[in-house]
Amino acid sequence: MLNRLYARVLRHAASPNAPWWLVALAFAEASFFPLPPETLLVPMVLSRRDKAWVYAALCTGASVLGGILGWVIGAFLLEHLALPIVHFYHAEHTLTALQDKFRQWGVWIILLKGLTPIPYKFVTIASGMAHFALLPFIVASLVTRGVRFFLVAGLLWKFGAPIQDFLERRLPLVMGVFAVLLVGGLLALRYL
């Protein structure tokens, strides 16, 4: 079953509409959606390694724009949009802790948390809630998200065939590790 799903995702990743879906996913993940953009970035780069840098750039730009939306949600739409997202993930304590940390560490939080499996939307919303300055937020987001997505794309560009072979031979293991990382990132939010 996983092999059929993987083959289908690879086919869709090579379709002409795939870049639009990647942009939508990266934008949404930075402000409200739970799936990381790598779920689409990886198969897209594997199916078209010649476009690895284009896909990483699209992913980075869309993620930063989505992060700005997350910042706006936190700064201006706290009661109506931000708190329901926070409550959905049971991350009230995490958000309060992030707000306090933003006042002290600011840019460093964005740079470090943007590379981790902790959902980036919490960083963006907390930045807005803490009224962290927008320009440094955008610059730090460009750096951290760019490093993350260009690193993934670069590794896949350089070692695509062996990585694709490994994925295809060990798909249940890879999906299990991915699920553990995703759930672990969400659980980590509760205990930050």
Side-chain angles (χ1 to χ4, degrees):
M1 180 171 142
L2 279 176
N3 290 332
R4 282 191 310 224
L5 178 61
Y6 175 72
R8 187 173 177 190
V9 168
L10 277 181
R11 273 194 313 277
H12 288 301
S15 79
N17 293 328
W20 293 108
W21 287 108
L22 178 64
V23 165
L25 179 60
F27 180 88
E29 184 272 339
S31 50
F32 61 88
F33 196 66
L35 280 179
E38 288 88 352
T39 56
L40 193 52
L41 178 63
V42 169
M44 285 177 66
V45 173
L46 287 175
S47 67
R48 293 287 313 263
R49 287 175 46 205
D50 60 314
K51 293 195 171 201
W53 311 120
V54 171
Y55 294 153
L58 287 172
C59 209
T60 301
S63 183
V64 172
L65 290 174
I68 293 169
L69 174 61
W71 187 94
V72 168
I73 289 170
F76 303 112
L77 303 172
L78 176 65
E79 291 296 320
H80 300 292
L81 290 178
L83 290 180
I85 294 169
V86 170
H87 293 314
F88 177 79
Y89 290 102
H90 305 290
E92 294 84 358
H93 173 72
T94 301
L95 194 57
T96 302
L98 273 174
Q99 284 177 294
D100 293 338
K101 290 177 184 176
F102 265 104
R103 289 182 187 96
Q104 185 177 13
W105 299 102
V107 169
W108 293 106
I109 291 174
I110 297 167
L111 290 172
L112 294 174
K113 301 260 186 227
L115 295 171
T116 68
I118 292 171
Y120 193 58
K121 73 194 78 6
F122 293 111
V123 174
T124 66
I125 292 170
S127 296
M129 290 175 73
H131 295 285
F132 186 73
L134 188 57
L135 185 59
F137 169 79
I138 292 170
V139 171
S141 293
L142 275 169
V143 170
T144 193
R145 300 312 268 179
V147 167
R148 179 173 168 166
F149 300 134
F150 276 90
L151 180 63
V152 168
L155 289 171
L156 293 169
W157 177 79
K158 176 82 173 159
F159 304 107
I163 291 172
Q164 187 168 4
D165 183 52
F166 176 81
L167 287 174
E168 290 170 356
R169 285 187 293 117
R170 307 239 191 303
L171 191 57
L173 172 68
V174 170
M175 293 305 292
V177 169
F178 173 75
V180 166
L181 287 174
L182 184 62
V183 170
L186 291 172
L187 289 174
L189 286 172
R190 291 188 56 94
Y191 303 106
L192 279 176

